Amino acid sequence: MKIYVVGSLNMDLVINAPFMPKSGMTVTGSGFMANAGGKGANQAVAVSKLGGACYMVGCVGKEFGEELLATVRGYGVHTDHIARVQDVSSGIAMITVIDGDNRIILDRGANGRLTCDMIDKALSSARKGDYLIAQLETEISVVQYAFRRAKDIGMVTLLNPAPAAKLPHELFSLCDYFAPNQTEAEFYTGVYPSGNDSIAACADRLKRLGVRGVLITLGEEGSVFVGDGVFYKAEARRVKAVDTTGAGDTYIGAFVTRLSEGASVEQAMDFASAASAITVTRRGAQQSIPVREEVKN
Ligand code: RIB
């Protein structure tokens, strides 16, 4: 099965800091690094590094465009449907890492130029049973269009609703899998999922909005899936986190890759937990995602 990823490609400008400066203040950081990221591209690279057949749909811009394109291509992602836009920069993410956790400010740049026409062209080769993954660093109306097309074709859809944003009602009902982290889940439901009761309440609200399956990543608490009459939990691996950037993206890419191979949801969650646990032990985004042989689950 093919896996289509509709989403962003960003250049991540990363710096470690001892704490977040207040307004008007300067702190001395360290370890500056520019590396390829973007939620869409990270998820596409995760699919490809972990053995899936990945087709990415997105846009790069004037600054960093060729580099971002070459990087995802180098990891084996099919890039025929990534367009080059010349009058705007590629997406830029300014990332401050403090104690292994990140804070991100995003200028989506060229990612905002993705169009419904590009979705039509890319999905013209998609078939029933193929997968579509998207996030929210591109125009939401285009994501909604892509999901509508995907459901017409009979594809399996997963939305990673990040960064959290107000969504058109229809989009929820086009999601086979709705996969937020804890903060995003709280944004969409008003309930912070931590512990079985709040997880159940949160999932219940999302299902009432129309999603079919709820997959929530819970950081150190692992991840949960709530579907039709089923509740699965996967434990998080205990590792020392150096940089959490790209860990959620690795989870999503790994999860869908295993599903596309015919694995069960539980097996796919376990594999995704193992893969994302490796990502947090390394610095950066795409470069920190493991290849298949490294993932023992
Ligand atoms: O999910 C991590 C990604 O979010 C980073 O690579 C950054 O580009 C932001 O989009």
Side-chain angles (χ1 to χ4, degrees):
M1 292 295 169
K2 288 180 183 167
I3 300 173
Y4 290 80
V5 177
V6 169
S8 56
L9 301 99
N10 300 331
M11 182 55 82
D12 289 357
L13 305 178
V14 189
I15 195 158
N16 297 312
F19 58 88
M20 232 17 210
K22 295 203 182 100
S23 167
M25 184 178 180
T26 301
V27 294
T28 299
S30 61
F32 172 77
M33 156 176 89
N35 81 114
K39 293 184 195 305
N42 295 348
Q43 291 171 20
V45 166
V47 168
S48 197
K49 277 187 163 183
L50 294 166
C54 188
Y55 296 75
M56 179 153 192
V57 193
C59 294
V60 292
K62 188 152 69 78
E63 282 80 18
F64 304 117
E66 292 309 317
E67 211 173 324
L68 292 175
L69 201 48
T71 307
V72 290
R73 191 180 289 137
Y75 287 126
V77 174
H78 295 266
T79 56
D80 288 356
H81 297 289
I82 300 179
R84 296 176 174 83
V85 182
Q86 287 309 333
D87 60 340
V88 66
S89 168
S90 297
I92 300 291
M94 308 284 297
I95 304 183
T96 308
V97 181
I98 302 174
D99 285 339
D101 266 331
N102 61 47
R103 285 127 180 96
I104 303 178
I105 302 176
L106 175 73
D107 177 347
R108 66 181 187 164
N111 297 307
R113 300 293 180 84
L114 190 67
T115 63
C116 296
D117 191 42
M118 291 172 64
I119 300 293
D120 278 336
K121 289 201 178 97
L123 294 188
S124 65
S125 57
R127 298 286 171 264
K128 186 169 189 284
D130 285 343
Y131 289 79
L132 177 73
I133 306 176
Q135 328 69 34
L136 302 175
E137 289 184 335
T138 55
E139 275 295 330
I140 291 174
S141 58
V142 178
V143 172
Q144 183 178 9
Y145 180 80
F147 273 48
R148 241 188 248 145
R149 287 288 303 117
K151 292 319 297 174
D152 289 346
I153 296 166
M155 298 173 79
V156 179
T157 56
L158 181 148
L159 180 65
N160 170 222
K166 192 167 161 28
L167 297 183
H169 196 78
E170 185 204 13
L171 186 49
F172 290 100
S173 61
L174 296 170
C175 294
D176 292 311
Y177 297 92
F178 188 82
N181 67 16
Q182 284 167 300
T183 346
E184 289 144 10
E186 183 183 27
F187 174 89
Y188 292 105
T189 64
V191 179
Y192 187 82
S194 176
N196 286 355
D197 289 348
S198 57
I199 289 169
C202 185
D204 189 51
R205 288 190 189 192
L206 288 169
K207 294 190 98 189
R208 272 191 272 132
L209 285 168
V211 313
R212 287 195 56 213
V214 178
L215 178 66
I216 309 177
T217 51
L218 305 160
E220 288 177 1
E221 291 176 66
S223 55
V224 288
F225 173 77
V226 186
D228 291 330
V230 297
F231 183 101
Y232 302 135
K233 193 152 200 243
E235 298 301 322
R237 309 295 199 270
R238 300 270 160 248
V239 288
K240 167 105 186 72
V242 171
D243 177 1
T244 55
T245 310
D249 299 327
T250 304
Y251 186 99
I252 304 274
F255 177 77
V256 176
T257 299
R258 283 296 284 134
L259 285 188
S260 75
E261 294 169 351
S264 69
V265 168
E266 271 177 300
Q267 288 168 331
M269 288 169 74
D270 197 42
F271 179 73
S273 301
S276 56
I278 296 174
T279 300
V280 302
T281 63
R282 302 171 178 167
R283 292 193 71 212
Q286 289 162 31
Q287 63 187 29
S288 72
I289 298 169
V291 293
R292 182 68 170 245
E293 296 67 42
E294 295 178 273
V295 186
K296 312 222 177 348
N297 67 311

